[in-house]
Amino acid sequence: PKMKEDNCLHAALICLGMLYYSHAITTEKLNHARPSLHGHHEKGKEGQVLHRSKRGWVWNQFFVIEEYTGPDPVLVGRLHSDIDSGDGNIKYILSGEGAGIIFVIDDKSGNIHATKTLDREERAQYTLTAQAVDRNTNRPLEPPSEFIVKVQDINDNPPEFLHENYHANVPERSNVGTSVIQVTASDADDPTYGNSAKLVYSILEGQPYFSVEAQTGIIRTALPNMDREAKEEYHVVIQAKDMGGHMGGLSGTTKVTITLTDVNDNPPKFPQSVYQMSVSEAAVPGEEVGRVKAKDPDIGENGLVAYSIIDGDGMDMFEITTDYETQEGVVKLKKLLDFETKKSYSLKVEAANVHIDPKFISNGPFKDTVTVKISVEDADEPPVFLKPSYIFEVQENAASGTVVGKVHAKDPDAANSAIRYSIDRHTDLERYFIINAEDGNIKTIKALDREEIAWHNISVFAVEVHKQHQEAKVPVAIKVVDVNDNAPKFAAAYEAFVCENAQSNQQFITISADDKDDSANGPRFIFSLPPEIIQNRNFTLRDNRDNTASVLVRREGFSRQKQDLYLLPIVISDGGLPPLSSTNTLTIRVCGCDSNGSLLSCNAEAYILNAGLSTGALIAILACIVILLVIVVLFVTLKRQKKEPLIVFEEEDVRENIITYDDEGGGEEDTEAFDIATLQNPDGINGFIPRKDIKPEYQYMPRPGLRPAPNSVDVDDFINTRIQEADNDPTAPPYDSIQIYGYEGRGSVAGSLSSLESATTDSDLDYDYLQNWGPRFKKLADLYGSKDTFDDDS
């Protein structure tokens, strides 16, 4: 049926076009069939009157219909001049846009034809120039004139939209007639001629939700209260039709996708009225208990929900926070729970929208409430001490077994298990205390000394009897209370000095005391002299009543020759109950002073020498000492020169010490001497040479068979024999070795002692101390002290 309708429409359009074409041709022939061209008559000579001749060009526009597809060229119009008598002497010439290509003219008749199909949308008009000339001479008979050939429009272009697809948004719940978007189509046909470009818009798809204005193309909502939560997206098809929308017009369509945007028109709603949760009593504050969620079909900020606790007996124990990523309310523990105290709690939780649209306040209230019931689960808890810490006091020097204090713990569980107590021995390494495992009484094991340890900080464990893993620990601080068990003493080791010329009642030292006891059993200190010497005539004591005392001279004049040292006993008492006292001895030396009281000397012997000996006597004593020293030195020198050798030889052989020098020199080995007396005196084996410094244990007897060897005996055998004898002879002297030089020496076994090659040896000695010896050792410091630096650089 649609194809049949299209064919009928096409036939109607063709008929309409032919009718329109015939009407246009008739109109052209009536209007333009005989335009005239008149010649111009004028006199150019001077003195003649010029008459302006009437122009014979009757000018009007020519029209030609576009898209003509007939078999013959289209007659556009005819040019005719009034001077054309029809004898063929007039020639018509056409020039301008498209002349000779699109438009051709019959130079005899003046008929203009269009040789090609014209498209108004490609070019709407052409400007041409026409002229009549003499055929024989080509002389213009009339001036050239321009005329316009307009291409007459037909409806051959359908409307076209600017975009193939449109996207638009409109809030949900919008009122009817709310503008959504405007779509615009254009038609290439001539809007000034006929209805070919007159467009009318209509909606093909999208009813009854949307409508479109026929003249403007504005799409508007057509239904009230469209709900995004029910349907969010709509597809609308808009048609634009020319010819004013009448039959035979051409049309074009476009698709418009319309999305409903969200508004806060839905309150949050809990899917259930009661939530059940549970939490262990062992949970710590901040631990999550459970989650609730109110559903809100709105999206974005319109769907944001905030949770709060508005009522319930658990408001102080629990709190709720909002997880904005999941839109859930997170219930958390705020305080510690106790199953034995309360086993369940109830909360009233509210969920409310964060952003509320005043336009839809009537849809409210935009909140909802739910009941949350939380049950507390029993947990096996460790024992709990009644106090977080304990402080006890005990007097020092208290007898062993003295009770210090008592700690107490209980099992918080319903079972109320028995508790056993113990002391953490890491906190009581010296084992001063013991605790009763059943009742928690702490006692001393040995006496305590406050002056040694004033506070004892121990830890006590409480463990359930049947559950050893349930353990609690509490700190216990034990203060050792002071008793007055230490007498005061001098604060320092005082040693006083008094001048020989001291005046009566002159103060020469101030003393103070120290007491190891606490301040309650220490100061105030009382200083005094023992009763037996309180009336002594040399010194007296004054208590300053500020825990110090001053010692004063009681008489004038002291003599070091008579007595240079005095010992003054001083009694010091403390302020304890009962008070303790001690006697301390102050040593006082008598010294010589100048007139200003400045100390000169405290040596008593110096005065004795000066008083008993004169200067001459001292010089004589010194001279005798020097003479004695000279005699001793001379005696020692002579004694050394006459020192006897260790071994007594019957006859000294000048050949005993031989120094052998190689041609090239053997270094240090060249100067080593060796004894060849045995080689030169074979008869020595018959007896032995006694030594003065040792006493042989037994007389060496030569073994039989060993006789002197003649001179012709092999030296090698001779030497081996002597070596064997020396090895078996316990009385042989310690220098009986024989050194043989058969080749150039290779140096000492100990190595060279020279410092020339020390820088190249791998010595482990550290010579960095040479850097501190000054400029005279700078060269040695550079040679040896930089070894580590070279090693580091390499």
Side-chain angles (χ1 to χ4, degrees):
K2 182 173 179 63
M3 185 178 295
K4 183 176 181 180
E5 181 181 350
D6 292 341
N7 292 335
C8 292
L9 180 61
H10 184 64
L13 289 174
I14 293 176
C15 294
L16 182 62
M18 295 299 294
L19 180 63
Y20 179 76
Y21 174 73
S22 300
H23 174 72
I25 294 297
T26 305
T27 304
E28 275 191 14
K29 288 183 178 179
L30 290 176
N31 294 333
H32 307 293
R34 297 182 60 85
S36 299
L37 291 174
H38 295 278
H40 294 271
H41 302 280
E42 58 182 28
K43 293 182 180 180
K45 294 183 180 181
E46 187 177 351
Q48 294 181 348
V49 179
L50 297 177
H51 298 280
R52 182 176 183 181
S53 61
K54 181 180 179 180
R55 184 171 182 175
W57 190 275
V58 179
W59 188 247
N60 281 306
Q61 289 183 340
F62 292 158
F63 293 89
V64 59
I65 194 168
E66 67 171 336
E67 303 294 347
Y68 174 72
T69 57
D72 299 326
V74 179
L75 177 63
V76 176
R78 181 181 181 185
L79 297 178
H80 183 74
S81 177
D82 293 341
I83 63 175
D84 185 3
S85 58
D87 55 3
N89 292 325
I90 301 298
K91 180 180 179 182
Y92 296 98
I93 300 174
L94 185 66
S95 61
E97 297 174 346
I101 301 174
I102 299 176
F103 303 101
V104 295
I105 189 171
D106 187 344
D107 60 354
K108 291 182 180 181
S109 63
N111 291 333
I112 302 173
H113 291 83
T115 61
K116 295 183 178 180
T117 301
L118 301 179
D119 186 0
R120 190 200 67 83
E121 285 72 39
E122 181 179 347
R123 187 160 188 171
Q125 66 181 22
Y126 297 86
T127 301
L128 299 173
T129 302
Q131 190 174 22
V133 299
D134 186 273
R135 183 177 295 276
N136 295 322
T137 63
N138 286 330
R139 183 176 60 85
L141 300 178
E142 291 184 0
S145 296
E146 291 184 350
F147 66 95
I148 296 174
V149 176
K150 286 192 173 182
V151 181
Q152 193 168 357
D153 181 56
I154 66 172
N155 189 19
D156 60 341
N157 290 280
E160 293 183 356
F161 284 93
L162 299 180
H163 302 286
E164 184 177 355
N165 294 287
Y166 288 85
H167 296 274
N169 298 321
V170 63
E172 62 173 333
R173 307 286 182 182
S174 296
N175 297 326
V176 175
T178 301
S179 175
V180 180
I181 190 175
Q182 182 178 15
V183 294
T184 304
S186 61
D187 196 320
D189 293 326
D190 190 359
T192 62
Y193 181 77
N195 295 326
S196 299
K198 186 178 181 181
L199 304 181
V200 175
Y201 298 93
S202 61
I203 184 168
L204 300 183
E205 295 181 15
Q207 302 96 336
Y209 306 104
F210 299 95
S211 63
V212 64
E213 291 184 357
Q215 305 302 324
T216 61
I218 297 176
I219 301 174
R220 299 181 183 275
T221 57
L223 282 181
N225 296 324
M226 285 191 292
D227 191 5
R228 184 200 67 83
E229 287 73 34
K231 186 177 181 180
E232 184 176 6
E233 193 173 81
Y234 296 85
H235 298 282
V236 178
V237 178
I238 302 297
Q239 181 190 64
K241 190 175 184 180
D242 59 12
M243 298 301 291
H246 295 91
M247 184 178 294
L250 303 179
S251 65
T253 60
T254 186
K255 294 181 180 180
V256 182
T257 301
I258 300 176
T259 303
L260 297 182
T261 57
D262 184 65
V263 297
N264 192 10
D265 58 340
N266 295 280
K269 189 71 176 176
F270 284 104
Q272 58 197 68
S273 60
V274 178
Y275 283 87
Q276 295 286 347
M277 300 179 184
S278 62
V279 59
S280 173
E281 66 171 333
V284 297
E287 187 172 333
E288 180 178 328
V289 178
R291 295 188 174 217
V292 297
K293 184 174 184 180
K295 295 184 179 179
D296 190 335
D298 296 323
I299 60 175
E301 66 177 14
N302 297 319
L304 294 179
V305 179
Y307 298 87
S308 60
I309 299 176
I310 60 175
D311 198 5
D313 58 358
M315 292 184 65
D316 295 334
M317 304 300 296
F318 300 93
E319 62 182 355
I320 190 168
T321 59
T322 302
D323 186 346
Y324 286 102
E325 291 186 2
T326 61
Q327 289 300 299
E328 293 176 321
V330 183
V331 180
K332 295 182 179 180
L333 182 64
K334 188 162 64 173
K335 295 182 180 179
L336 291 174
L337 301 171
D338 186 7
F339 172 81
E340 289 72 27
T341 303
K342 190 173 179 60
K343 296 178 175 60
S344 64
Y345 295 89
S346 179
L347 302 174
K348 189 175 183 180
V349 176
E350 179 185 79
N353 278 140
V354 178
H355 303 282
I356 299 177
D357 193 339
K359 296 179 182 179
F360 305 98
I361 195 69
S362 60
N363 294 1
F366 286 86
K367 56 186 177 181
D368 193 17
T369 59
V370 70
T371 301
V372 179
K373 293 184 177 180
I374 304 174
S375 60
V376 181
E377 297 177 349
D378 188 22
D380 189 9
E381 300 175 87
V384 177
F385 283 94
L386 298 185
K387 294 181 181 180
S389 62
Y390 292 86
I391 299 178
F392 300 128
E393 292 184 354
V394 61
Q395 282 193 343
E396 66 173 327
N397 302 326
S400 176
T402 302
V403 176
V404 176
K406 181 179 181 180
V407 297
H408 183 67
K410 67 176 183 177
D411 182 11
D413 299 323
N416 194 16
S417 300
I419 305 297
R420 294 188 65 85
Y421 303 93
S422 62
I423 295 177
D424 183 2
R425 287 306 171 188
H426 292 91
T427 61
D428 186 25
L429 297 176
E430 299 295 331
R431 294 184 176 270
Y432 287 103
F433 306 96
I434 190 172
I435 190 170
N436 189 304
E438 280 74 24
D439 59 13
N441 272 320
I442 301 175
K443 299 180 180 180
T444 60
I445 301 177
K446 52 186 177 181
L448 305 177
D449 187 1
R450 189 204 68 85
E451 287 71 42
E452 182 179 351
I453 302 177
W455 283 87
H456 294 267
N457 296 301
I458 65 175
S459 297
V460 175
F461 291 112
V463 183
E464 293 183 18
V465 174
H466 302 295
K467 298 176 182 177
Q468 297 295 326
H469 65 282
Q470 294 294 355
E471 180 183 79
K473 185 177 182 180
V474 68
V476 178
I478 301 173
K479 179 182 180 181
V480 181
V481 180
D482 182 54
V483 296
N484 193 16
D485 58 346
N486 289 278
K489 297 180 180 180
F490 276 156
Y494 293 109
E495 186 173 358
F497 302 92
V498 62
C499 294
E500 288 182 308
N501 55 357
Q503 301 297 320
S504 177
N505 293 327
Q506 179 179 348
Q507 175 184 335
F508 59 90
I509 188 172
T510 300
I511 59 176
S512 62
D514 189 15
D515 195 329
K516 293 182 180 180
D517 292 323
D518 196 2
S519 58
N521 293 315
R524 174 177 90 85
F525 298 121
I526 300 174
F527 300 86
S528 63
L529 295 177
E532 62 271 14
I533 66 166
I534 195 170
Q535 297 298 328
N536 77 90
R537 64 185 184 87
N538 296 319
F539 305 100
T540 185
L541 184 70
R542 183 180 65 202
D543 192 337
N544 297 326
R545 299 184 179 275
D546 59 354
N547 298 322
T548 64
S550 300
V551 182
L552 297 87
V553 177
R554 197 164 189 174
R555 63 181 177 85
E556 295 182 359
F558 290 88
S559 175
R560 281 181 288 175
Q561 287 77 19
K562 294 182 179 180
Q563 186 174 351
D564 64 341
L565 184 67
Y566 293 88
L567 299 178
L568 180 66
I570 299 177
V571 178
I572 307 175
S573 300
D574 59 20
L577 292 176
L580 292 181
S581 62
S582 66
T583 302
N584 302 265
T585 302
L586 176 65
T587 302
I588 303 173
R589 292 186 177 275
V590 180
C591 300
C593 303
D594 58 12
S595 60
N596 296 326
S598 299
L599 186 65
L600 294 178
S601 173
C602 296
N603 189 354
E605 289 76 6
Y607 279 86
I608 295 174
L609 289 176
N610 292 336
L613 295 176
S614 63
T615 304
L618 291 175
I619 294 175
I621 292 172
L622 293 176
C624 292
I625 293 173
V626 172
I627 293 172
L628 290 175
L629 290 176
V630 172
I631 293 172
V632 170
V633 171
L634 291 175
F635 178 77
V636 171
T637 304
L638 294 174
K639 190 69 176 178
R640 288 184 179 180
Q641 291 179 355
K642 295 181 179 181
K643 186 177 181 180
E644 297 181 1
L646 295 178
I647 301 177
V648 180
F649 294 94
E650 295 179 357
E651 183 180 358
E652 184 179 42
D653 194 342
V654 296
R655 297 174 296 173
E656 285 188 5
N657 295 327
I658 301 177
I659 298 176
T660 304
Y661 292 91
D662 290 339
D663 294 338
E664 298 181 358
E668 296 175 355
E669 292 177 345
D670 288 350
T671 60
E672 292 184 1
F674 55 90
D675 187 5
I676 61 171
T678 306
L679 294 178
Q680 300 300 329
N681 190 14
D683 296 335
I685 63 173
N686 296 328
F688 85 102
I689 302 173
R691 292 186 56 180
K692 290 184 177 182
D693 58 341
I694 64 171
K695 181 179 181 181
E697 296 180 359
Y698 58 91
Q699 183 67 29
Y700 168 73
M701 296 300 294
R703 288 178 294 171
L706 295 178
R707 296 182 179 179
N711 294 334
S712 61
V713 175
D714 188 3
V715 176
D716 188 20
D717 294 336
F718 178 81
I719 291 175
N720 290 333
T721 301
R722 289 291 183 263
I723 291 174
Q724 185 177 2
E725 293 176 1
D727 290 340
N728 296 324
D729 185 6
T731 62
Y735 41 83
D736 59 352
S737 62
I738 299 176
Q739 299 183 14
I740 301 174
Y741 293 87
Y743 53 91
E744 182 180 353
R746 291 182 295 178
S748 174
V749 176
S752 174
L753 298 178
S754 173
S755 63
L756 296 178
E757 297 181 356
S758 298
T760 60
T761 60
D762 295 332
S763 176
D764 293 331
L765 294 179
D766 185 5
Y767 297 99
D768 289 342
Y769 60 86
L770 295 176
Q771 300 287 348
N772 302 324
W773 284 17
R776 294 186 178 182
F777 297 90
K778 185 177 184 304
K779 188 63 177 178
L780 286 177
D782 293 341
L783 291 175
Y784 296 97
S786 59
K787 177 179 183 298
D788 294 339
T789 305
F790 297 154
D791 295 341
D792 296 340
D793 295 340
S794 61

